[in-house]
Amino acid sequence: MQPNEEYTIQDIEDGLGRAMGTTIFKDIEFTRLRDDGQFGLILKGVEKSKHQIKGSLHFDGYRGAGLIANYTGRNIIGQASRSLITLDFAKQPKARLQYQKNFGGDRDWWWRTEVFGQILEQKIFLEGKNVDEVKLNYLEFDNQVNRNLSSLKSYAGFGVKRESTQLKPTIDPEVKNNILNLKKYRFSTYEVYAHFKYSNLNDVLYPTKGSQIQAVLSRALSNDIQVSYIDPNVVKVDVPSNNYTKLSFGFEERVSFKPTLTGILSLNSGFLFEDRTQDDDFLFSTFGYGAKYFLGGNIIDPRSDNYTFSGLTESELAVSQFLKLGLGLQIKSVRNVYFIPHIEMASVGYGNFEDYITNVFSAKGRWENHEDPSFLASVGAMVSYKSILGPVNFDISWVNSTNNVRFFIGIGFPLNRSN
């Protein structure tokens, strides 16, 4: 909350509840501080336990079932701090360890350190068809410093992180060959970045009004690529690659036409600017899979460069550039049931920025070929229910250039992205 602004009692209670979720406020009392008419607040509360343990079940058509266990500790390592451990026990497990510390006179500055990892089975698609599957191991170590610009709504900051992406065949290549002729792939990078985030959406699930904005500018400091093939005649790659700069922007607007009808408009974009080199200038374009943007799925992946796209399987499409538009209507029925027809369109590119930007609005390639700038679109509808277990979503969507209508089902809260 900012000085010299007017707030209602409900605003104050809502704000305190979100900012201090482990404190029970027994009373809020107004008192006159000075004779000039200034007022203040006296808060009377009882602190809950510093240690909170929670759990939940989830299921989705991409990753199967899992059990999430979460521990949150407040002020365990220093005042105004939070320690968090989240484990997703599943066939494709995930884990997050996070420490956050607020500082400064008004606690508007905060520092966060996070380690996140996941072990997935990633499907490989050629010409829009699933042809193989690999093990995808991802590990991220992230440090960031931020400042709140508007309490509970927006912040900006900068950080440094290390990412490692590793692909391995699900079956030993000595036993059965795979479509990529791959034995092992690993991409690791160090990045510095600056970001800005804003949100005043009125609900976490199925909001009916508000906006959401985010922007990220990142710069790779160093990269390393390791690739080995089954065929001994193919030269093994183990070298640093050229660096890159990434710029992404996201916007979402929810407009309430009436209590049961909400319009949805979203715009997302991501651009990758590869450094030019005299030697091995093909290296990053060919082997920089781990640094690209990923489109696909109906669930927000914990990785920051993943974007949902109905009708595609989770992280199905890896691109260097994209511009995506989404339109939808959220129709609320009886007993927290929602019907959401939607359409999504994107212009995607797989090469350098110069080739993409000249064809961004006239892309003529086929997106499933992963070559030329292409147009990607999906049309579908989702039926959702806000249950005591969390959201229950069932989606059916059709994607252009394929003859497939794909289905998705998701129940409960998966391990989500840090905001």
Side-chain angles (χ1 to χ4, degrees):
M1 294 182 178
Q2 303 298 322
N4 302 322
E5 292 187 5
E6 295 183 358
Y7 296 94
T8 66
I9 294 294
Q10 188 62 49
D11 290 335
I12 295 171
E13 291 178 341
D14 290 346
L16 291 173
R18 284 178 286 174
M20 307 291 288
T22 59
T23 302
I24 303 175
F25 290 97
K26 308 296 289 185
D27 189 22
I28 299 178
E29 177 182 326
F30 288 90
T31 181
R32 186 180 296 276
L33 298 181
R34 298 196 300 266
D35 293 335
D36 60 1
Q38 295 290 328
F39 284 82
L41 290 175
I42 296 177
L43 307 177
K44 300 178 181 180
V46 178
E47 184 77 8
K48 287 184 180 180
S49 171
K50 293 182 177 182
H51 309 280
Q52 298 286 319
I53 297 177
K54 297 180 181 180
S56 65
L57 296 171
H58 68 91
F59 171 82
D60 68 80
Y62 304 134
R63 307 299 181 191
L67 169 65
I68 291 182
N70 174 266
Y71 164 79
T72 302
R74 294 186 64 250
N75 304 326
I76 305 300
I77 309 176
Q79 294 298 312
S81 71
R82 182 188 68 188
S83 303
L84 183 148
I85 301 173
T86 305
L87 303 175
D88 186 357
F89 298 97
K91 181 181 178 181
Q92 304 182 58
K94 303 180 180 71
R96 172 183 288 128
L97 283 74
Q98 185 187 98
Y99 175 77
Q100 183 169 311
K101 166 75 174 178
N102 286 63
F103 58 94
D106 53 6
R107 304 295 193 192
D108 271 343
W109 287 91
W110 47 281
W111 161 53
R112 175 187 289 171
T113 294
E114 177 177 292
V115 178
F116 170 76
Q118 57 184 3
I119 302 174
L120 306 178
E121 293 180 0
Q122 185 65 47
K123 295 180 179 179
I124 298 175
F125 289 82
L126 291 179
E127 298 183 352
K129 297 180 180 180
N130 179 20
V131 294
D132 211 334
E133 197 170 80
V134 295
K135 295 179 181 178
L136 190 154
N137 300 338
Y138 175 78
L139 181 65
E140 177 186 83
F141 179 60
D142 184 26
N143 285 276
Q144 55 183 255
V145 177
N146 303 289
R147 190 185 192 285
N148 293 332
L149 302 178
S150 177
S151 182
L152 305 178
K153 291 184 180 180
S154 65
Y155 66 88
F158 61 91
V160 57
K161 65 181 178 180
R162 182 184 187 276
E163 293 179 294
S164 176
T165 302
Q166 180 176 285
L167 300 178
K168 294 177 64 177
T170 54
I171 302 176
D172 189 335
E174 298 294 336
V175 177
K176 180 184 177 182
N177 198 355
N178 56 81
I179 193 70
L180 300 177
N181 199 30
L182 186 69
K183 194 172 183 179
K184 184 179 180 181
Y185 166 89
R186 182 179 179 183
F187 179 88
S188 58
T189 182
Y190 290 89
E191 287 185 8
V192 294
Y193 64 90
H195 63 177
F196 166 80
K197 295 188 179 182
Y198 169 87
S199 178
N200 68 344
L201 297 176
N202 65 339
D203 204 339
V204 176
L205 295 176
Y206 318 114
T208 57
K209 63 180 179 178
S211 303
Q212 188 167 261
I213 302 171
Q214 59 182 10
V216 182
L217 174 65
S218 62
R219 172 65 185 173
L221 301 179
S222 67
N223 307 299
D224 185 67
I225 296 174
Q226 299 176 19
V227 187
S228 57
Y229 296 94
I230 302 168
D231 188 346
N233 296 319
V234 180
V235 178
K236 179 180 179 181
V237 178
D238 188 358
V239 293
S241 77
N242 43 320
N243 290 318
Y244 57 87
T245 299
K246 297 174 76 172
L247 175 64
S248 62
F249 174 81
F251 169 79
E252 181 178 331
E253 180 75 20
R254 301 262 176 157
V255 180
S256 180
F257 299 123
K258 55 183 182 179
T260 59
L261 183 63
T262 302
I264 305 171
L265 169 66
S266 65
L267 177 66
N268 290 278
S269 63
F271 306 106
L272 192 154
F273 307 91
E274 180 183 350
D275 290 359
R276 294 183 179 276
T277 60
Q278 294 181 351
D279 300 323
D280 297 329
D281 57 352
F282 67 92
L283 192 61
F284 181 84
S285 300
T286 305
F287 298 108
Y289 174 84
K292 294 190 175 183
Y293 300 100
F294 295 89
L295 302 180
N298 297 77
I299 298 174
I300 298 176
D301 190 277
R303 294 181 60 172
S304 59
D305 290 329
N306 285 45
Y307 296 82
T308 60
F309 200 98
S310 300
L312 296 182
T313 302
E314 187 175 281
S315 303
E316 176 177 337
L317 195 60
V319 299
S320 299
Q321 334 284 340
F322 78 96
L323 183 62
K324 172 177 173 285
L325 172 68
L327 300 170
L329 282 176
Q330 180 176 282
I331 305 167
K332 184 178 180 180
S333 182
V334 295
R335 297 184 179 275
N336 292 325
V337 175
Y338 298 83
F339 178 65
I340 309 172
H342 54 77
I343 179 172
E344 295 177 84
M345 297 171 284
S347 173
V348 299
Y350 305 95
N352 59 52
F353 178 77
E354 291 79 6
D355 293 338
Y356 171 75
I357 199 63
T358 57
N359 298 284
V360 61
F361 297 118
S362 59
K364 297 180 180 179
R366 295 175 63 88
W367 63 265
E368 65 272 27
N369 291 337
H370 303 83
E371 293 177 354
D372 301 319
S374 308
F375 176 70
L376 172 68
S378 74
V379 179
M382 178 181 290
V383 178
S384 303
Y385 173 61
K386 187 187 293 186
S387 73
I388 59 173
L389 297 176
V392 178
N393 299 315
F394 178 77
D395 183 85
I396 176 172
S397 295
W398 171 88
V399 182
N400 70 318
S401 295
T402 70
N403 296 319
N404 298 325
V405 174
R406 292 181 177 171
F407 302 88
F408 165 79
I409 184 169
I411 303 173
F413 292 99
L415 198 156
N416 215 320
R417 185 175 299 170
S418 295
N419 290 316

Short mmCIF file of all heavy atoms in Angstrom, two decimals, residues 167-208:
data_model
loop_
_atom_site.label_atom_id
_atom_site.label_comp_id
_atom_site.label_asym_id
_atom_site.label_seq_id
_atom_site.Cartn_x
_atom_site.Cartn_y
_atom_site.Cartn_z
N LEU A 167 19.37 -34.38 -22.75
CA LEU A 167 18.51 -35.35 -23.42
C LEU A 167 19.24 -36.68 -23.52
O LEU A 167 20.42 -36.73 -23.89
CB LEU A 167 18.14 -34.88 -24.82
CG LEU A 167 17.38 -33.57 -24.96
CD1 LEU A 167 17.15 -33.26 -26.43
CD2 LEU A 167 16.05 -33.61 -24.23
N LYS A 168 18.52 -37.76 -23.20
CA LYS A 168 19.06 -39.11 -23.35
C LYS A 168 17.95 -40.02 -23.85
O LYS A 168 16.78 -39.83 -23.50
CB LYS A 168 19.59 -39.64 -22.01
CG LYS A 168 20.80 -38.90 -21.47
CD LYS A 168 21.22 -39.44 -20.11
CE LYS A 168 21.68 -40.88 -20.21
NZ LYS A 168 22.16 -41.41 -18.91
N PRO A 169 18.27 -41.02 -24.66
CA PRO A 169 17.24 -41.96 -25.11
C PRO A 169 16.62 -42.71 -23.93
O PRO A 169 17.29 -43.01 -22.94
CB PRO A 169 18.01 -42.92 -26.03
CG PRO A 169 19.26 -42.20 -26.39
CD PRO A 169 19.59 -41.32 -25.24
N THR A 170 15.32 -42.97 -24.01
CA THR A 170 14.67 -43.73 -22.96
C THR A 170 15.13 -45.19 -22.95
O THR A 170 15.12 -45.85 -21.93
CB THR A 170 13.14 -43.69 -23.14
OG1 THR A 170 12.81 -44.11 -24.46
CG2 THR A 170 12.62 -42.28 -22.92
N ILE A 171 15.54 -45.68 -24.12
CA ILE A 171 16.06 -47.04 -24.25
C ILE A 171 17.53 -46.96 -24.65
O ILE A 171 17.91 -46.15 -25.50
CB ILE A 171 15.27 -47.85 -25.29
CG1 ILE A 171 13.79 -47.91 -24.90
CG2 ILE A 171 15.84 -49.25 -25.44
CD1 ILE A 171 12.92 -48.61 -25.93
N ASP A 172 18.36 -47.75 -24.03
CA ASP A 172 19.79 -47.77 -24.34
C ASP A 172 19.99 -47.91 -25.84
O ASP A 172 19.51 -48.86 -26.46
CB ASP A 172 20.45 -48.94 -23.60
CG ASP A 172 21.97 -48.91 -23.70
OD1 ASP A 172 22.50 -48.31 -24.65
OD2 ASP A 172 22.63 -49.48 -22.82
N PRO A 173 20.71 -46.95 -26.47
CA PRO A 173 20.90 -47.03 -27.93
C PRO A 173 21.67 -48.26 -28.39
O PRO A 173 21.64 -48.61 -29.57
CB PRO A 173 21.68 -45.74 -28.24
CG PRO A 173 22.30 -45.34 -26.95
CD PRO A 173 21.34 -45.77 -25.89
N GLU A 174 22.36 -48.94 -27.45
CA GLU A 174 23.02 -50.19 -27.82
C GLU A 174 21.99 -51.29 -28.04
O GLU A 174 22.26 -52.28 -28.74
CB GLU A 174 23.98 -50.61 -26.70
CG GLU A 174 25.11 -49.61 -26.44
CD GLU A 174 26.05 -49.50 -27.63
OE1 GLU A 174 26.13 -50.45 -28.42
OE2 GLU A 174 26.69 -48.44 -27.78
N VAL A 175 20.80 -51.11 -27.44
CA VAL A 175 19.73 -52.10 -27.58
C VAL A 175 18.80 -51.73 -28.74
O VAL A 175 18.44 -52.58 -29.56
CB VAL A 175 18.92 -52.20 -26.27
CG1 VAL A 175 17.75 -53.17 -26.44
CG2 VAL A 175 19.82 -52.63 -25.12
N LYS A 176 18.43 -50.45 -28.81
CA LYS A 176 17.52 -50.00 -29.86
C LYS A 176 17.89 -48.59 -30.28
O LYS A 176 18.04 -47.71 -29.43
CB LYS A 176 16.07 -50.03 -29.36
CG LYS A 176 15.06 -49.58 -30.40
CD LYS A 176 13.66 -49.54 -29.83
CE LYS A 176 12.65 -49.03 -30.84
NZ LYS A 176 11.29 -48.95 -30.30
N ASN A 177 18.05 -48.38 -31.57
CA ASN A 177 18.38 -47.06 -32.08
C ASN A 177 17.18 -46.12 -31.92
O ASN A 177 16.05 -46.55 -31.79
CB ASN A 177 18.79 -47.14 -33.55
CG ASN A 177 19.55 -45.91 -33.99
OD1 ASN A 177 19.69 -44.96 -33.24
ND2 ASN A 177 20.05 -45.94 -35.22
N ASN A 178 17.45 -44.79 -31.93
CA ASN A 178 16.38 -43.81 -31.82
C ASN A 178 16.38 -42.91 -33.05
O ASN A 178 17.34 -42.88 -33.82
CB ASN A 178 16.52 -42.98 -30.54
CG ASN A 178 17.88 -42.30 -30.44
OD1 ASN A 178 18.11 -41.25 -31.04
ND2 ASN A 178 18.79 -42.90 -29.67
N ILE A 179 15.30 -42.17 -33.23
CA ILE A 179 15.09 -41.40 -34.44
C ILE A 179 16.16 -40.33 -34.63
O ILE A 179 16.48 -39.94 -35.76
CB ILE A 179 13.68 -40.76 -34.42
CG1 ILE A 179 13.31 -40.20 -35.80
CG2 ILE A 179 13.60 -39.69 -33.36
CD1 ILE A 179 13.06 -41.25 -36.82
N LEU A 180 16.76 -39.84 -33.55
CA LEU A 180 17.76 -38.79 -33.64
C LEU A 180 19.18 -39.33 -33.75
O LEU A 180 20.12 -38.54 -33.85
CB LEU A 180 17.67 -37.88 -32.40
CG LEU A 180 16.34 -37.15 -32.17
CD1 LEU A 180 16.39 -36.35 -30.88
CD2 LEU A 180 16.00 -36.25 -33.34
N ASN A 181 19.32 -40.66 -33.71
CA ASN A 181 20.65 -41.27 -33.73
C ASN A 181 21.49 -40.73 -32.58
O ASN A 181 22.72 -40.58 -32.68
CB ASN A 181 21.35 -41.00 -35.06
CG ASN A 181 22.49 -41.97 -35.31
OD1 ASN A 181 22.48 -43.11 -34.86
ND2 ASN A 181 23.52 -41.50 -36.02
N LEU A 182 20.83 -40.43 -31.45
CA LEU A 182 21.46 -39.70 -30.36
C LEU A 182 21.87 -40.64 -29.21
O LEU A 182 21.13 -41.55 -28.85
CB LEU A 182 20.48 -38.64 -29.81
CG LEU A 182 20.99 -37.68 -28.76
CD1 LEU A 182 22.01 -36.72 -29.36
CD2 LEU A 182 19.81 -36.89 -28.17
N LYS A 183 23.03 -40.36 -28.67
CA LYS A 183 23.48 -41.06 -27.48
C LYS A 183 23.31 -40.18 -26.25
O LYS A 183 22.84 -40.63 -25.21
CB LYS A 183 24.95 -41.46 -27.64
CG LYS A 183 25.44 -42.47 -26.62
CD LYS A 183 26.85 -42.95 -27.00
CE LYS A 183 27.32 -44.02 -26.03
NZ LYS A 183 28.68 -44.51 -26.40
N LYS A 184 23.67 -38.88 -26.39
CA LYS A 184 23.51 -37.94 -25.29
C LYS A 184 23.63 -36.52 -25.82
O LYS A 184 24.43 -36.23 -26.71
CB LYS A 184 24.57 -38.18 -24.21
CG LYS A 184 24.43 -37.30 -22.98
CD LYS A 184 25.51 -37.64 -21.95
CE LYS A 184 25.39 -36.78 -20.72
NZ LYS A 184 26.45 -37.08 -19.72
N TYR A 185 22.80 -35.62 -25.28
CA TYR A 185 22.85 -34.20 -25.61
C TYR A 185 22.80 -33.41 -24.31
O TYR A 185 22.01 -33.71 -23.42
CB TYR A 185 21.68 -33.79 -26.50
CG TYR A 185 21.48 -32.29 -26.61
CD1 TYR A 185 22.12 -31.55 -27.60
CD2 TYR A 185 20.65 -31.60 -25.72
CE1 TYR A 185 21.94 -30.18 -27.71
CE2 TYR A 185 20.46 -30.23 -25.81
CZ TYR A 185 21.11 -29.52 -26.81
OH TYR A 185 20.93 -28.16 -26.90
N ARG A 186 23.65 -32.39 -24.22
CA ARG A 186 23.63 -31.52 -23.04
C ARG A 186 23.93 -30.09 -23.47
O ARG A 186 24.86 -29.85 -24.23
CB ARG A 186 24.64 -31.97 -21.99
CG ARG A 186 24.60 -31.10 -20.72
CD ARG A 186 25.58 -31.57 -19.69
NE ARG A 186 25.56 -30.74 -18.50
CZ ARG A 186 26.36 -30.89 -17.45
NH1 ARG A 186 27.26 -31.86 -17.45
NH2 ARG A 186 26.28 -30.08 -16.42
N PHE A 187 23.10 -29.17 -22.96
CA PHE A 187 23.31 -27.74 -23.21
C PHE A 187 23.26 -27.03 -21.87
O PHE A 187 22.30 -27.15 -21.12
CB PHE A 187 22.22 -27.19 -24.13
CG PHE A 187 22.36 -25.72 -24.40
CD1 PHE A 187 23.14 -25.27 -25.46
CD2 PHE A 187 21.72 -24.77 -23.61
CE1 PHE A 187 23.27 -23.92 -25.72
CE2 PHE A 187 21.85 -23.42 -23.86
CZ PHE A 187 22.63 -22.99 -24.93
N SER A 188 24.31 -26.28 -21.55
CA SER A 188 24.35 -25.52 -20.30
C SER A 188 24.71 -24.08 -20.60
O SER A 188 25.48 -23.79 -21.53
CB SER A 188 25.36 -26.12 -19.32
OG SER A 188 26.66 -26.17 -19.88
N THR A 189 24.14 -23.17 -19.84
CA THR A 189 24.35 -21.75 -20.10
C THR A 189 24.29 -20.94 -18.80
O THR A 189 23.63 -21.34 -17.84
CB THR A 189 23.28 -21.22 -21.08
OG1 THR A 189 23.53 -19.84 -21.35
CG2 THR A 189 21.89 -21.36 -20.49
N TYR A 190 25.01 -19.83 -18.80
CA TYR A 190 24.92 -18.82 -17.74
C TYR A 190 24.29 -17.58 -18.33
O TYR A 190 24.72 -17.10 -19.38
CB TYR A 190 26.30 -18.49 -17.17
CG TYR A 190 26.93 -19.59 -16.36
CD1 TYR A 190 27.72 -20.56 -16.97
CD2 TYR A 190 26.74 -19.68 -14.98
CE1 TYR A 190 28.30 -21.58 -16.24
CE2 TYR A 190 27.32 -20.69 -14.23
CZ TYR A 190 28.10 -21.64 -14.87
OH TYR A 190 28.66 -22.65 -14.13
N GLU A 191 23.26 -17.04 -17.66
CA GLU A 191 22.55 -15.87 -18.17
C GLU A 191 22.42 -14.81 -17.08
O GLU A 191 22.27 -15.13 -15.90
CB GLU A 191 21.15 -16.23 -18.65
CG GLU A 191 21.07 -17.01 -19.94
CD GLU A 191 19.64 -17.23 -20.39
OE1 GLU A 191 18.72 -16.63 -19.78
OE2 GLU A 191 19.42 -17.97 -21.36
N VAL A 192 22.47 -13.55 -17.49
CA VAL A 192 22.04 -12.43 -16.65
C VAL A 192 20.78 -11.86 -17.28
O VAL A 192 20.62 -11.89 -18.50
CB VAL A 192 23.13 -11.35 -16.52
CG1 VAL A 192 24.33 -11.89 -15.77
CG2 VAL A 192 23.55 -10.82 -17.88
N TYR A 193 19.88 -11.34 -16.46
CA TYR A 193 18.61 -10.87 -17.00
C TYR A 193 18.02 -9.76 -16.14
O TYR A 193 18.36 -9.60 -14.96
CB TYR A 193 17.61 -12.03 -17.11
CG TYR A 193 17.22 -12.64 -15.78
CD1 TYR A 193 16.13 -12.16 -15.06
CD2 TYR A 193 17.94 -13.70 -15.24
CE1 TYR A 193 15.77 -12.71 -13.85
CE2 TYR A 193 17.60 -14.27 -14.04
CZ TYR A 193 16.51 -13.78 -13.33
OH TYR A 193 16.16 -14.33 -12.12
N ALA A 194 17.12 -9.01 -16.76
CA ALA A 194 16.30 -8.02 -16.07
C ALA A 194 14.85 -8.32 -16.41
O ALA A 194 14.54 -8.74 -17.54
CB ALA A 194 16.66 -6.60 -16.50
N HIS A 195 13.96 -8.14 -15.45
CA HIS A 195 12.55 -8.46 -15.71
C HIS A 195 11.61 -7.50 -15.00
O HIS A 195 11.99 -6.82 -14.04
CB HIS A 195 12.24 -9.91 -15.35
CG HIS A 195 12.42 -10.22 -13.89
ND1 HIS A 195 12.13 -11.45 -13.34
CD2 HIS A 195 12.83 -9.46 -12.85
CE1 HIS A 195 12.37 -11.44 -12.06
NE2 HIS A 195 12.79 -10.25 -11.73
N PHE A 196 10.38 -7.46 -15.49
CA PHE A 196 9.31 -6.66 -14.90
C PHE A 196 8.04 -7.49 -14.93
O PHE A 196 7.74 -8.15 -15.93
CB PHE A 196 9.10 -5.37 -15.71
CG PHE A 196 7.81 -4.66 -15.38
CD1 PHE A 196 7.71 -3.86 -14.25
CD2 PHE A 196 6.68 -4.80 -16.20
CE1 PHE A 196 6.52 -3.22 -13.95
CE2 PHE A 196 5.49 -4.15 -15.90
CZ PHE A 196 5.42 -3.36 -14.76
N LYS A 197 7.29 -7.46 -13.83
CA LYS A 197 6.03 -8.20 -13.77
C LYS A 197 4.96 -7.35 -13.09
O LYS A 197 5.22 -6.66 -12.11
CB LYS A 197 6.20 -9.53 -13.03
CG LYS A 197 7.13 -10.50 -13.75
CD LYS A 197 7.14 -11.87 -13.10
CE LYS A 197 8.05 -12.81 -13.88
NZ LYS A 197 8.07 -14.18 -13.33
N TYR A 198 3.75 -7.45 -13.66
CA TYR A 198 2.60 -6.72 -13.11
C TYR A 198 1.36 -7.58 -13.22
O TYR A 198 1.15 -8.27 -14.24
CB TYR A 198 2.37 -5.42 -13.90
CG TYR A 198 1.06 -4.73 -13.59
CD1 TYR A 198 0.95 -3.84 -12.54
CD2 TYR A 198 -0.08 -5.00 -14.36
CE1 TYR A 198 -0.26 -3.22 -12.25
CE2 TYR A 198 -1.29 -4.38 -14.08
CZ TYR A 198 -1.37 -3.49 -13.02
OH TYR A 198 -2.57 -2.88 -12.72
N SER A 199 0.53 -7.58 -12.21
CA SER A 199 -0.73 -8.32 -12.25
C SER A 199 -1.72 -7.73 -11.26
O SER A 199 -1.39 -7.51 -10.09
CB SER A 199 -0.52 -9.80 -11.94
OG SER A 199 -1.77 -10.49 -11.94
N ASN A 200 -2.91 -7.46 -11.74
CA ASN A 200 -4.01 -7.09 -10.85
C ASN A 200 -5.24 -7.95 -11.13
O ASN A 200 -6.37 -7.50 -10.93
CB ASN A 200 -4.33 -5.60 -10.97
CG ASN A 200 -4.93 -5.23 -12.31
OD1 ASN A 200 -4.85 -5.99 -13.27
ND2 ASN A 200 -5.54 -4.04 -12.38
N LEU A 201 -5.00 -9.17 -11.64
CA LEU A 201 -6.11 -10.10 -11.84
C LEU A 201 -6.81 -10.35 -10.52
O LEU A 201 -6.17 -10.48 -9.47
CB LEU A 201 -5.59 -11.41 -12.43
CG LEU A 201 -4.95 -11.33 -13.82
CD1 LEU A 201 -4.40 -12.69 -14.22
CD2 LEU A 201 -5.94 -10.82 -14.86
N ASN A 202 -8.12 -10.47 -10.57
CA ASN A 202 -8.89 -10.56 -9.34
C ASN A 202 -9.03 -11.96 -8.78
O ASN A 202 -9.66 -12.16 -7.75
CB ASN A 202 -10.29 -9.96 -9.54
CG ASN A 202 -11.13 -10.75 -10.53
OD1 ASN A 202 -10.60 -11.51 -11.35
ND2 ASN A 202 -12.44 -10.61 -10.45
N ASP A 203 -8.42 -12.96 -9.44
CA ASP A 203 -8.49 -14.32 -8.91
C ASP A 203 -7.35 -15.13 -9.52
O ASP A 203 -6.86 -14.83 -10.61
CB ASP A 203 -9.83 -14.97 -9.26
CG ASP A 203 -10.20 -16.09 -8.28
OD1 ASP A 203 -9.28 -16.62 -7.63
OD2 ASP A 203 -11.39 -16.43 -8.18
N VAL A 204 -6.93 -16.17 -8.80
CA VAL A 204 -5.90 -17.06 -9.31
C VAL A 204 -6.48 -17.99 -10.37
O VAL A 204 -5.86 -18.22 -11.42
CB VAL A 204 -5.27 -17.88 -8.16
CG1 VAL A 204 -4.27 -18.88 -8.71
CG2 VAL A 204 -4.61 -16.94 -7.15
N LEU A 205 -7.66 -18.53 -10.11
CA LEU A 205 -8.35 -19.41 -11.04
C LEU A 205 -9.49 -18.69 -11.72
O LEU A 205 -10.33 -18.09 -11.06
CB LEU A 205 -8.89 -20.64 -10.31
CG LEU A 205 -7.85 -21.58 -9.68
CD1 LEU A 205 -8.56 -22.68 -8.90
CD2 LEU A 205 -6.95 -22.17 -10.75
N TYR A 206 -9.52 -18.72 -13.04
CA TYR A 206 -10.60 -18.18 -13.84
C TYR A 206 -10.95 -16.73 -13.45
O TYR A 206 -12.10 -16.42 -13.10
CB TYR A 206 -11.84 -19.07 -13.72
CG TYR A 206 -11.52 -20.54 -13.77
CD1 TYR A 206 -11.72 -21.37 -12.67
CD2 TYR A 206 -10.97 -21.11 -14.91
CE1 TYR A 206 -11.42 -22.72 -12.72
CE2 TYR A 206 -10.66 -22.47 -14.97
CZ TYR A 206 -10.88 -23.26 -13.85
OH TYR A 206 -10.57 -24.60 -13.90
N PRO A 207 -9.97 -15.82 -13.49
CA PRO A 207 -10.26 -14.41 -13.14
C PRO A 207 -11.24 -13.80 -14.13
O PRO A 207 -11.33 -14.21 -15.29
CB PRO A 207 -8.89 -13.74 -13.22
CG PRO A 207 -8.08 -14.62 -14.13
CD PRO A 207 -8.57 -16.01 -13.88
N THR A 208 -11.97 -12.79 -13.67
CA THR A 208 -12.99 -12.15 -14.50
C THR A 208 -12.62 -10.72 -14.89
O THR A 208 -13.29 -10.14 -15.76
CB THR A 208 -14.34 -12.13 -13.77
OG1 THR A 208 -14.18 -11.46 -12.51
CG2 THR A 208 -14.83 -13.55 -13.51
#
